[in-house]
Amino acid sequence: MVLVLIPNFAERAQVAIDFSGLNGPQLRTAMAAAGCELSKNHCYKLIRGEILDPRFSTVAAVIVATGVPSSWFFDPDIGGAATPTSLARYIQREEASTGLAHPHGARSQREHGNDEAG
């Protein structure tokens, strides 16, 4: 039997949302544009990490809204706690390996120098 560790969605979502620079209303708007309308309460629970087992549509909308690679949410090999610095490094590795730039949020954070040193 192979044991596969499932990454903590709440932790990864919080980091992705923080990294993207979206506040609550902006996140709700971006997620609604991706086809997932959330109530204010549900959105803030998501931001605070209280949504532990979200629906697929919520996961997909967070991915689209934040511009973070979808693999960030599922890759068990990231290791350690998810942080903005580990996300920035992950994105750099992904871009280097695929030659692709990622849309808005994640890319604009690096362009404006908003990732943590480390």
Side-chain angles (χ1 to χ4, degrees):
M1 178 168 79
V2 176
L3 177 62
V4 177
L5 297 176
I6 298 172
N8 180 322
F9 173 79
E11 178 181 79
R12 303 252 176 124
Q14 282 185 291
V15 170
I17 292 164
D18 289 346
F19 192 81
S20 72
L22 297 173
N23 63 26
Q26 292 167 331
L27 178 65
R28 278 186 70 218
T29 299
M31 290 180 68
C36 181
E37 293 193 31
L38 299 179
S39 69
K40 286 181 184 179
N41 186 43
H42 194 85
C43 184
Y44 284 105
K45 283 184 178 183
L46 181 68
I47 290 169
R48 289 189 305 262
E50 296 173 15
I51 307 297
L52 301 178
D53 191 15
R55 293 181 176 176
F56 175 80
S57 58
T58 301
V59 174
V62 168
I63 291 167
V64 171
T66 61
V68 169
S70 58
S71 55
W72 162 257
F73 292 89
F74 306 106
D75 189 342
D77 295 327
I78 289 172
T83 65
T85 300
S86 65
L87 175 53
R89 288 182 185 140
Y90 187 83
I91 291 170
Q92 289 171 344
R93 281 194 308 269
E94 288 292 299
E95 288 175 350
S97 69
T98 62
L100 298 175
H102 295 283
H104 61 80
R107 188 178 69 231
S108 67
Q109 281 288 328
R110 287 191 317 284
E111 289 170 353
H112 291 90
N114 292 335
D115 63 337
E116 296 176 4

